[in-house]
Amino acid sequence: MPTYWVIELAIQDDFPILQRLVNGHRLIYLDNAATTQKPAIVIDAMNDYYTKHNANVHRAVHTLAGEATDGYEACRDALKTWFRAERCILTSGTTEAINLAAHAWGHSQLKGRPIVLTEMEHHSDIVPWQMLAETFGNELRYVPVKSDLTLDMEAFEASIEGAGLVCVVHTSNVLGVRNPIEEIIRIAHNHGAKVLLDAAQGAPHCQINMAELGADMMALSAHKMCGPTGIGCLLVNEETFQEMQPFMGGGDMIETVTLEGSTYQTNEHRFEAGTPRIAEAIGWNAALTYLGTLDLEQQHGRLLEIARHVAQELRSMGMTVYGRHDDDDSSVVSFLHPTLHSEDFAHLLDARGVAVRTGHHCAQPLLNRLGITGTVRASFYIYNTMQDAEEFLMHVRNILERFA
Amino acid sequence: MPTYWVIELAIQDDFPILQRLVNGHRLIYLDNAATTQKPAIVIDAMNDYYTKHNANVHRAVHTLAGEATDGYEACRDALKTWFRAERCILTSGTTEAINLAAHAWGHSQLKGRPIVLTEMEHHSDIVPWQMLAETFGNELRYVPVKSDLTLDMEAFEASIEGAGLVCVVHTSNVLGVRNPIEEIIRIAHNHGAKVLLDAAQGAPHCQINMAELGADMMALSAHKMCGPTGIGCLLVNEETFQEMQPFMGGGDMIETVTLEGSTYQTNEHRFEAGTPRIAEAIGWNAALTYLGTLDLEQQHGRLLEIARHVAQELRSMGMTVYGRHDDDDSSVVSFLHPTLHSEDFAHLLDARGVAVRTGHHCAQPLLNRLGITGTVRASFYIYNTMQDAEEFLMHVRNILERFA
Amino acid sequence: MTYPQKLAELVDDFQSIDDRMERLEYVFDLASEVNELPNDEWTDSTRIHGCQSEAHVRVDIEDENVRLYSGADSKLVQGLMGILTIAIDGQPIEIARTLTPEFAVEMGVLNSLSPSRSNGFRNMFDKVMSTLMEEE
Amino acid sequence: MTYPQKLAELVDDFQSIDDRMERLEYVFDLASEVNELPNDEWTDSTRIHGCQSEAHVRVDIEDENVRLYSGADSKLVQGLMGILTIAIDGQPIEIARTLTPEFAVEMGVLNSLSPSRSNGFRNMFDKVMSTLMEEE
Ligand SMILES: Cc1ncc(COP(=O)(O)O)c(C=O)c1O
Ligand SMILES: Cc1ncc(COP(=O)(O)O)c(C=O)c1O
């Protein structure tokens, strides 16, 4: 893998945090499904904004305000282009995006119709719908996960009748499994249901083409794709956008306010009440620029290879690995040791500079299905190398020898 | 003013953006009521977070996650201390904080009772209540603004009967008028109504002691007090906090999720769904640290002196100034020329590097009351100097000579 | 693109001004170039949307030639209308139709304006052009 | 504060370990120091809240002396319990009451743990102490 090796090192250089020592050891950051690190270009873009252009956006005449507005709106445009989306509403993240979908679209459009979810969903794609169902009495139908860790598509087909919406995670944050969303969208649309994709994990790992997929709504977060915290978006197709009603009220989303009532903007600003996330938008746009310089498909292949290697090695050490690592899956490796507690494992790895996550990964229904309460999760991203993986495995072996 | 002069220059040095030229001229930034500039310490704190500590918060074991969690929670603690608040829920800004209050508290607690607003409110403190009233049929009662630009307190007293909530802006973003909130809170509480303060403009200008005031809820934004974009908070007293029901659902705010339903966290996390604004919280905390090094009361006096001088000079040039500049008012100067259009004015000032805002300032009901559709607004903050004011006035004179 | 002579001169004039304030001053001066649309003829159908100030325009065709009548409460906006007036008022309709908003970019006028203002200019331009396109 | 001898020794031991992994290893080893609370006696009243793993403790007073029975599914957590056991198990109740969680800070144990884990330790400590305070 000589070419990989060169690319890997070049990418690592772009991420200042990787210079850091943790407990005296080189940081091996394998908690990427929780949040990713930021390349210097992203950090610098926000810096540059705050040191040269900072101002409130929209409605202002002065130069800084114009620059800030351009910067903010450029992020929206870049997202639309990147994901081939018709409308892009900037939110604080995936979670707020899904809550926005539930309130702005669901409240007025679902009219009590059933909602199809899957057992693989992140809490952020469950709780907003449970809340909506509590108010409006919608039936929630959960598509089970089979023992091979894929969705039970027969059960899905059986559950679609009469449903108004299907909410499905593009790629599972626990398993790395990439769901058959093309088929799901096709079946849902055939039955008159819209589809919302939770692309929080999908977006960082592959180039999602919303227009081609025909998805109606798609939620994602910047911080999982090299962008800053505090920003995400709900991408929506035009038809769905026109059906949405205002959610939060306030500055920037209104056209006119009188004591008797208000009228609202008709573009995306309608759903972006208050001063928006300006520096964050500028940082996210820089992240897209950065990712655009990489060959994401090649990266996907490289990382999947790492994940497969790690999964195989862990299995050979007696671990249970929860994942398939099929060609389209993400490079997440969830595992458990038969006796060593997952949190103890993470603590011990941390002592060697390795960052992994443990716990339920905000996917308790999935873990219930698997009959466990948590896993250790190592998730790989563009700046991780096979070298990281080997060192991680070495520490794991070491820990097992000393502690298991 | 020799001592002022030294302080002024020292503060300017802390703000990198003030080095910038705008259209070939030194930037004179007088759009502080829209958003403030950031001192290097704030920019550096976020930089430091992204280059050394970035990780997702809560529930994780590794070192970076611990540091990020500490940093995020430290902001909450600092805000509680700064404002003497019992509970602090981090939001994306004032607007989201007020929407949170409307949904989390208003939906379950107001039970159709009337809400008292004022004509001086920002749209962000009007539209959420109009939306709530549309759903639940609450009566909205607006306290008029008198021709002396103060609230009509007799009308307020007459409107309080039976009301469940009073929403009042601490300090007007258009007029700089600081409202008699102590009296408003006393009267409201005597009549069994809670009080929400919109402190977006108040918080940057004076040290607000929520415990002493006895306010029930208070909303504010970091970006108006030297902090980053994308973060604000709703401060709540314990009693009100216990009455609040979850608003947005998702990760981090839950205790357990099953297919049948969910249980929620009991602390502030209950209202902070999804990955929070981590870098932003760290930046805001740095802004509080920075403001803490200044004598804010002295700054308030200094800036008010500047505002009074500017108001007087503008009046002497034939402008109408909308403001009182009483001792507790903020240093905002809204004005209009009899013939020169306010936007033309702002464009011309911008050609000389001066940033002011024009338009309705998201306070259309107030402007309707004043019988105008917009003003030019120059608002001063800690890094502005009397020199800035004099140069601004010189440019205004110049513009009037050439264009009026 | 080659411009009608008066417009070409105007582009040259603007390009020779370095100072933004002077460029704005020139725009101000051009406010007087409009054929005035009296206030009492400002209606919804003459309104230019997306301008933050009130701005109105009516396009007439007189003897196959374009006639613009316009006005605004902002002198800057009216100055932009003056520029458009110089560009196409009195021109044969087929010639006027070939104009693109590029000329305003070349003048450096649009980048002297806030995004909302320059959007306003584009809306003004689009409104005029779409009226011209509707003409037989 | 002066500690009972066994605890003082333990603090010294920990302070002499530089490597975090070894410190954790030591905590692991101390898991065997607990008086085991059998799994079937884990109930809601013995549960330590705020621990992400299952952790349970019961405090008995035997002949005016404190007796701790505890267990956890995480060996690290049980090791922390082992430390607490060394600190106060078998001590007269009045002496045990004077202990503060400072000793764990001094050991450098808490900063080897994630915030949630060290919170867990504090909760464990608080649960034990509040039981002691309730005793006559
Ligand atoms: C008085 C007042 N309230 C509310 C807001 C809204 O704040 P934000 O846009 O940060 O949500 C502002 C700022 O524009 C304001 O001045
Ligand atoms: C699949 C999935 N959905 C939703 C989320 C929530 O994203 P955020 O916390 O950025 O709102 C996450 C991240 O934790 C995720 O992995």
Side-chain angles (χ1 to χ4, degrees), chain A residues 33 93-95 122 124 169 171 173 198 200-201 221 223-224, chain B residues 274-275:
Chain A
T94 304
T95 304
H122 187 279
S124 293
V169 66
T171 299
N173 62 319
D198 173 352
Q201 297 293 333
S221 298
H223 70 93
K224 296 199 198 268
Chain B
T275 300

Side-chain angles (χ1 to χ4, degrees), chain B residues 142-336:
Chain B
Y142 292 89
V143 179
V145 174
K146 295 193 296 187
S147 55
D148 69 357
L149 306 181
T150 64
L151 289 180
D152 183 337
M153 288 300 285
E154 281 179 30
F156 170 65
E157 289 220 45
S159 72
I160 190 69
E161 203 55 53
L165 179 68
V166 176
C167 299
V168 59
V169 66
H170 178 287
T171 300
S172 161
N173 62 318
V174 179
L175 308 171
V177 167
R178 193 272 200 196
N179 287 310
I181 45 173
E182 291 81 356
E183 207 182 328
I184 290 173
I185 291 171
R186 190 180 50 73
I187 296 170
H189 284 180
N190 280 344
H191 288 78
K194 295 214 181 219
V195 177
L196 178 144
L197 294 181
D198 174 353
Q201 297 292 333
H205 280 274
C206 58
Q207 191 95 40
I208 304 179
N209 185 325
M210 195 173 163
E212 198 175 288
L213 282 174
D216 302 286
M217 296 183 262
M218 198 163 102
L220 53 134
S221 298
H223 70 93
K224 296 200 196 271
M225 52 191 299
C226 294
T229 60
I231 189 165
C233 69
L234 184 68
L235 302 169
V236 201
N237 63 20
E238 188 63 34
E239 181 189 287
T240 308
F241 184 80
Q242 295 303 338
E243 293 170 352
M244 290 170 71
Q245 300 302 315
F247 171 31
M248 291 201 255
D252 258 21
M253 56 75 72
I254 63 95
E255 190 65 43
T256 59
V257 176
T258 67
L259 302 186
E260 289 70 42
S262 303
T263 61
Y264 306 117
Q265 302 247 28
T266 52
N267 63 4
E268 283 97 331
H269 300 158
R270 183 181 181 89
F271 303 102
E272 295 171 2
T275 300
R277 301 123 180 118
I278 309 167
E280 291 84 345
I282 287 164
W284 197 1
N285 196 359
L288 290 176
T289 303
Y290 180 77
L291 293 176
T293 65
L294 305 178
D295 181 338
L296 283 187
E297 217 167 304
Q298 187 194 49
Q299 288 296 324
H300 179 84
R302 181 178 76 78
L303 294 170
L304 196 59
E305 197 172 306
I306 292 177
R308 284 172 177 160
H309 174 65
V310 167
Q312 184 183 346
E313 291 292 309
L314 290 173
R315 284 197 173 101
S316 78
M317 295 178 219
M319 311 275 195
T320 308
V321 173
Y322 300 90
R324 300 170 53 87
H325 306 105
D326 288 345
D327 285 350
D328 289 337
D329 290 0
S330 70
S331 38
V332 164
V333 186
S334 269
F335 63 95
L336 269 182

Side-chain angles (χ1 to χ4, degrees), chain A residues 80-233:
Chain A
K80 284 187 189 175
T81 305
W82 185 273
F83 293 106
R84 299 279 316 282
E86 288 172 347
R87 295 287 188 166
C88 170
I89 303 163
L90 291 161
T91 66
S92 66
T94 304
T95 304
E96 189 176 300
I98 297 175
N99 280 275
L100 170 65
H103 281 262
W105 186 83
H107 279 209
S108 67
Q109 302 299 317
L110 276 172
K111 302 194 200 314
R113 287 169 74 187
I115 302 167
V116 177
L117 305 171
T118 89
E119 279 184 354
M120 221 188 265
E121 298 313 302
H122 187 279
H123 294 164
S124 293
D125 201 25
I126 298 177
V127 186
W129 307 112
Q130 290 183 337
M131 287 174 156
L132 177 133
E134 213 173 291
T135 310
F136 295 98
N138 310 58
E139 179 192 347
L140 299 182
R141 300 173 181 164
Y142 292 90
V143 180
V145 174
K146 294 193 296 187
S147 54
D148 69 359
L149 305 181
T150 65
L151 289 180
D152 183 338
M153 288 299 286
E154 280 179 31
F156 170 66
E157 288 221 46
S159 73
I160 189 71
E161 202 54 53
L165 180 67
V166 176
C167 298
V168 58
V169 66
H170 178 288
T171 299
S172 160
N173 62 319
V174 179
L175 308 172
V177 167
R178 194 269 200 196
N179 286 311
I181 47 175
E182 291 80 357
E183 206 183 328
I184 289 173
I185 291 171
R186 189 180 50 74
I187 296 170
H189 283 181
N190 280 346
H191 288 78
K194 294 215 181 218
V195 177
L196 178 144
L197 295 182
D198 173 352
Q201 297 293 333
H205 280 273
C206 57
Q207 191 96 40
I208 303 179
N209 184 324
M210 195 172 161
E212 198 175 287
L213 283 175
D216 302 285
M217 296 183 261
M218 198 164 100
L220 53 134
S221 298
H223 70 93
K224 296 199 198 268
M225 51 191 300
C226 293
T229 61
I231 189 165
C233 71

Side-chain angles (χ1 to χ4, degrees), chain B residues 370-383:
Chain B
L370 300 175
I372 53 181
T373 59
T375 72
V376 185
R377 183 183 70 185
S379 50
F380 297 83
Y381 203 45
I382 49 172
Y383 35 76

